[in-house]
Amino acid sequence: MESNQKTYTTFPPEVASVAAARRFVGETLRGWGVDDVDDAMLLTSELVTNAIVHAGTEVVVVCELIGGQVRVEVHDRHQARRVPVPGDQVSGRGLLFPETLATSWGVTYGSGGKHVWFTVPGTGAAEQTPPPMPAEELVTAPQAARPTVDQLAQRAAQAAQDAMGADCVYVLLADDDAELSLRATAGVRPEGAALEIGLEGAPVGGRGVYADLGGSPYNLPALQAAGIRSLVTAPFTVDGRAIGLLIAASRDAGHFTEDDVERLQRIADRQAPSLERARLMELERARRGWLGFLAEASSMLAGTLDQQMTMALVTQLIVPRLATWAAVFTVRETGLALPAYAWHADETMVADLRTLLDLLPPAPPPAEPGPWEGFTPAPSGDLPPTAHRVTGDVAHVFPLLARGRSIGTLVVGGPKGARFTRDALELTEDLAGRAALAIDNARLYEEQAAMSRTLQRSLLPPGIPTIPNLDVAVVYDPAGEHSEVGGDFYDVFNVGTRWRFAIGDVCGTGPEAAAVTGLARQGLRILGREGHSIPEVLERLNALILEEATRAPFLTLLHGELEPLGDGRFRVTYATAGHPPPLFLNPSGIVKGEDHSDLMLGVFPEATFEVKTTILKPGHVLLGFTDGVTERRNGDRLLGDDGGLERILASCVDLNAGAVAAKVMRAVRGFSPEPSHDDTALIVLRVEE
């Protein structure tokens, strides 16, 4: 194995890059023989997150093994952006993790950007070649890796059996809840499963000899069923604190004496310090692993604003890491929590679990975390045949609290007899808090998006009227995620025997733009049907917008009138207020248009508007559009540069209005691979032949 190795890869500035960078560092270091990669992966996750959030550029992750040290660098392309420092109140955690976990770290600035780096020990990797040693000091065997808790426990069990002449020795260690768990055995272990049950609830600090199990604090029937007739116990003690229990067992009654207690205690005392060190390291590795898990879970939850997807992520993050199954309940208008999503480690059980949850009576969400007894007694109704596989499960419930109110409940469960450790429950509670905010954010976004869509629909005409001898097509394509109301609009309506059309663009988005859009569209209809001419309509609409003072943004507008001439032709009278003038296409493929436009609405009270008139003959096309078409950008080029839209329209000869609109929109969308940042609206009027 080489002692010096180096590799790198580049990640785009998006949320998914955080998990991808973690995997890259973990897989690379394991491939180089590094045993403990948790710290490096967690630190990489933090630094890549900082780079994406604060720099917003692509990120290059460099992974290097120098002797026995791992060095990771995270490069971004934005030199001017400040690196968040520990304790930074604006940037949150900042570089607190590198300060805590790394052996060294720092920031290096260069001409093309900056990089943040850290080093951690490369445990298990090849060390730098040491200077030659005298022949008599050479060690032929490689240094063994640091033993695990279970390996040390097995050594302790074997040492005790050899010293005590016991049929069986058991090593039990306490977790953070002071609950004992069997970590190792040595010797004969008849019916071991029964013996494990018999040791449930054993006192952590118990010490003594039980010649015939009389007076023993253990479950006698279970021990006797395992063939055990006498015991001697001694606690593992560190700094006066019991961390576990060493038990020597025999099939013979009276096998042990008081001297055996002291002998077993000496063995326990010798093994206790190394067991405790290994146990603490195991807990620390687990803690760091959980920190990495929470960091990745937070990134995943922040990566979606779909409420159902967020709930699915929550349950699938928990199962099977923390529980066998998980379910999310959401609070409805009644204030009661009803099941919304469920997941089980055994996918064949998901449908049955959901059926059981649906049979539960609605209940208010709990105020505090605690045991859940939703399946006690079992739900009534038509139970699935395999319901017994779930109804006896152990479960815990966690309220989902966001912004000071309850939005639901998270329930996690495991098979009967399973025990959730304190660490697992605390981690689940932490995850429940993050999940609640993510679910609530998704809910708020969906509500805002639905409200915006509803409002946007109300600002557009309910339908396009049928006009004899005229083919009409309209397109409205809002930009972005539909979370805000756009500023573009169109309308076609009749005024007696004539027809009016309009296409406009309000500066900005959101409520202010919506107010002007609604005012303009309704004002156009009311003023037109009262008999006002095109210039009068624009002048009065200008005055209405100015009355809104600074609350209203300005408006560009193309407004015109179509008058049937009775011979298949239409007279078109129109005016433009700061809006791109319409384009006209004739059957010969010639496109014409005006360059001049009058002042936009809502800026100058003295604005006047010039009317232009033209005749549309059969086969002629009028195209009205907003600047989302001509200002579609690809690098430094705009679609409207050098007559780009005119060339597109010239290729639409003999196409009906719908086909013209579709061809223009295909050109707009295909002009750049980037999503559009501006709304787009089209109105196509074609005289039928």
Side-chain angles (χ1 to χ4, degrees):
M1 175 167 35
E2 298 180 10
S3 60
N4 293 347
Q5 301 191 61
K6 184 176 182 178
T7 187
Y8 69 91
T9 192
T10 303
F11 300 95
E14 56 190 38
V15 172
S17 295
V18 177
R22 283 169 52 83
R23 288 194 298 271
F24 162 69
V25 170
E27 292 170 359
T28 298
L29 295 182
R30 291 189 189 98
W32 290 345
V34 178
D35 292 335
D36 190 352
V37 300
D38 291 342
D39 286 354
M41 291 176 65
L42 177 58
L43 293 174
T44 300
S45 177
E46 289 299 306
L47 297 189
V48 172
T49 299
N50 281 339
I52 290 173
V53 171
H54 297 285
T57 70
E58 68 175 12
V59 176
V60 178
V61 178
V62 180
C63 194
E64 190 171 7
L65 182 63
I66 307 174
Q69 288 286 316
V70 170
R71 178 185 172 98
V72 176
E73 301 173 2
V74 176
H75 298 244
D76 65 62
R77 308 297 189 192
H78 201 313
Q79 184 181 6
R81 288 291 175 91
R82 180 176 66 87
V83 176
V85 298
D88 190 331
Q89 293 302 311
V90 175
S91 303
R93 283 192 303 265
L95 297 179
L96 180 60
F97 280 177
E99 184 182 58
T100 304
L101 300 179
T103 54
S104 61
W105 67 276
V107 184
T108 302
Y109 290 87
S111 59
K114 65 176 181 300
H115 68 266
V116 185
W117 58 269
F118 66 84
T119 62
V120 292
T123 306
E127 303 290 337
Q128 291 179 331
T129 304
M133 298 175 60
E136 63 271 21
E137 295 182 24
L138 289 176
V139 179
T140 57
Q143 182 179 0
R146 185 180 292 113
T148 65
V149 174
D150 289 337
Q151 289 171 336
L152 290 172
Q154 190 61 48
R155 293 179 191 175
Q158 193 62 55
Q161 189 197 19
D162 294 342
M164 304 296 294
D167 288 322
C168 193
V169 173
Y170 307 92
V171 175
L172 298 96
L173 296 179
D175 57 23
D176 285 349
D177 295 330
E179 292 281 347
L180 287 174
S181 61
L182 185 65
R183 300 300 293 263
T185 65
V188 180
R189 188 184 174 200
E191 301 182 24
L195 183 58
E196 288 186 44
I197 296 173
L199 295 175
E200 280 189 357
V204 176
R207 169 177 169 169
V209 59
Y210 306 99
D212 58 359
L213 296 186
S216 152
Y218 308 120
N219 183 327
L220 297 182
L223 288 173
Q224 289 168 346
I228 301 301
R229 301 186 63 190
S230 61
L231 297 174
V232 60
T233 65
F236 292 106
T237 306
V238 176
D239 297 330
R241 177 174 54 88
I243 65 166
L245 194 64
L246 181 60
I247 301 176
S250 174
R251 295 171 174 174
D252 300 326
H255 182 81
F256 302 106
T257 67
E258 291 295 333
D259 291 339
D260 290 322
V261 176
E262 298 300 328
R263 185 180 301 113
L264 190 65
Q265 187 64 64
R266 287 194 295 270
I267 296 171
D269 291 343
R270 285 197 304 270
Q271 302 293 336
S274 58
L275 278 171
E276 179 66 354
R277 282 194 299 271
R279 189 184 72 88
L280 291 176
M281 290 184 64
E282 183 182 82
L283 290 174
E284 180 65 13
R285 282 194 296 271
R287 184 186 66 84
R288 292 176 179 177
W290 291 133
L291 285 175
F293 166 70
L294 283 175
E296 188 164 349
S298 298
S299 297
M300 294 179 69
L301 291 172
T304 178
L305 286 172
D306 182 289
Q307 190 174 357
Q308 194 70 12
M309 178 65 74
T310 304
M311 290 188 289
L313 276 175
V314 171
T315 57
Q316 293 177 31
L317 283 167
I318 290 173
V319 177
R321 293 176 180 89
L322 299 171
T324 304
W325 57 267
V328 175
F329 293 68
T330 54
V331 175
R332 306 300 167 87
E333 295 78 4
T334 59
L336 301 177
L338 295 174
Y341 194 88
W343 190 250
H344 198 287
D346 181 354
E347 294 188 22
T348 63
M349 288 295 298
V350 173
D352 289 348
L353 175 62
R354 182 56 198 252
T355 300
L356 288 170
L357 294 172
D358 288 337
L359 292 173
L360 295 176
E368 299 289 339
W372 186 73
E373 298 181 352
F375 291 152
T376 306
S380 58
D382 295 330
L383 298 182
T386 53
H388 65 278
R389 294 169 57 188
V390 177
T391 53
D393 283 5
V394 178
H396 285 262
V397 62
F398 301 87
L400 296 175
L401 304 175
R403 299 174 175 88
R405 63 187 184 86
S406 175
I407 66 166
T409 299
L410 172 66
V411 179
V412 299
K416 183 177 181 180
R419 187 174 64 85
F420 291 91
T421 66
R422 185 176 64 187
D423 283 348
L425 292 176
E426 289 177 353
L427 183 68
T428 307
E429 185 175 3
D430 192 335
L431 185 59
R434 299 168 190 240
L437 284 174
I439 293 171
D440 200 43
N441 286 340
R443 179 189 62 81
L444 292 173
Y445 176 82
E446 289 178 0
E447 288 179 356
Q448 180 186 3
M451 182 171 58
S452 296
R453 287 191 295 268
T454 302
L455 180 56
Q456 188 71 67
R457 284 194 297 268
S458 73
L459 298 176
L460 297 175
I464 299 301
T466 300
I467 303 176
N469 300 320
L470 193 69
D471 188 11
V472 182
V474 294
V475 173
Y476 175 69
D477 188 17
E481 299 277 344
H482 310 292
S483 60
E484 286 193 336
V485 180
D488 290 8
F489 71 96
Y490 61 83
D491 202 359
V492 179
F493 57 94
N494 71 302
V495 286
T497 60
R498 303 179 182 184
W499 302 87
R500 292 278 176 95
F501 65 91
I503 185 167
D505 186 357
V506 180
C507 174
T509 58
E512 293 83 3
V516 175
T517 301
L519 175 67
R521 196 174 76 80
Q522 299 303 328
L524 288 170
R525 289 197 170 212
I526 292 171
L527 293 172
R529 286 169 177 169
E530 287 181 351
H532 293 284
S533 67
I534 297 295
E536 290 173 341
V537 169
L538 295 181
E539 289 168 4
R540 290 171 181 260
L541 188 57
N542 185 49
L544 284 172
I545 296 174
L546 286 170
E547 286 179 3
E548 295 292 316
T550 57
R551 291 181 299 166
F554 56 78
L555 165 68
T556 70
L557 182 67
L558 163 64
H559 185 36
E561 182 177 88
L562 295 161
E563 179 186 1
L565 298 179
D567 56 358
R569 299 181 303 156
F570 286 83
R571 177 183 289 112
V572 181
T573 305
Y574 67 94
T576 54
H579 198 85
L583 294 178
F584 297 93
L585 169 69
N586 67 27
S588 301
I590 297 174
V591 177
K592 295 182 179 180
E594 301 286 343
D595 293 330
H596 173 74
S597 179
D598 293 321
L599 295 174
M600 65 185 67
L601 305 179
V603 180
F604 300 104
E606 65 276 9
T608 59
F609 305 95
E610 178 185 355
V611 170
K612 303 174 183 65
T613 302
T614 189
I615 300 296
L616 291 183
K617 299 177 182 179
H620 284 221
V621 175
L622 180 154
L623 172 65
F625 53 91
T626 59
D627 59 10
V629 175
T630 52
E631 295 182 5
R632 179 78 162 108
R633 181 175 294 276
N634 186 349
D636 295 331
R637 295 188 305 116
L638 301 179
L639 184 145
D641 289 346
D642 303 321
L645 182 57
E646 286 83 347
R647 286 193 299 275
I648 296 170
L649 183 59
S651 66
C652 296
V653 174
D654 295 330
L655 298 181
N656 62 28
V660 172
K663 188 166 186 176
V664 173
M665 287 306 300
R666 280 198 303 272
V668 171
R669 296 186 181 111
F671 187 72
S672 172
E674 299 295 325
S676 176
H677 299 292
D678 196 2
D679 299 338
T680 302
L682 295 176
I683 184 167
V684 180
L685 306 173
R686 184 180 186 275
V687 181
E688 295 179 345
E689 297 179 90

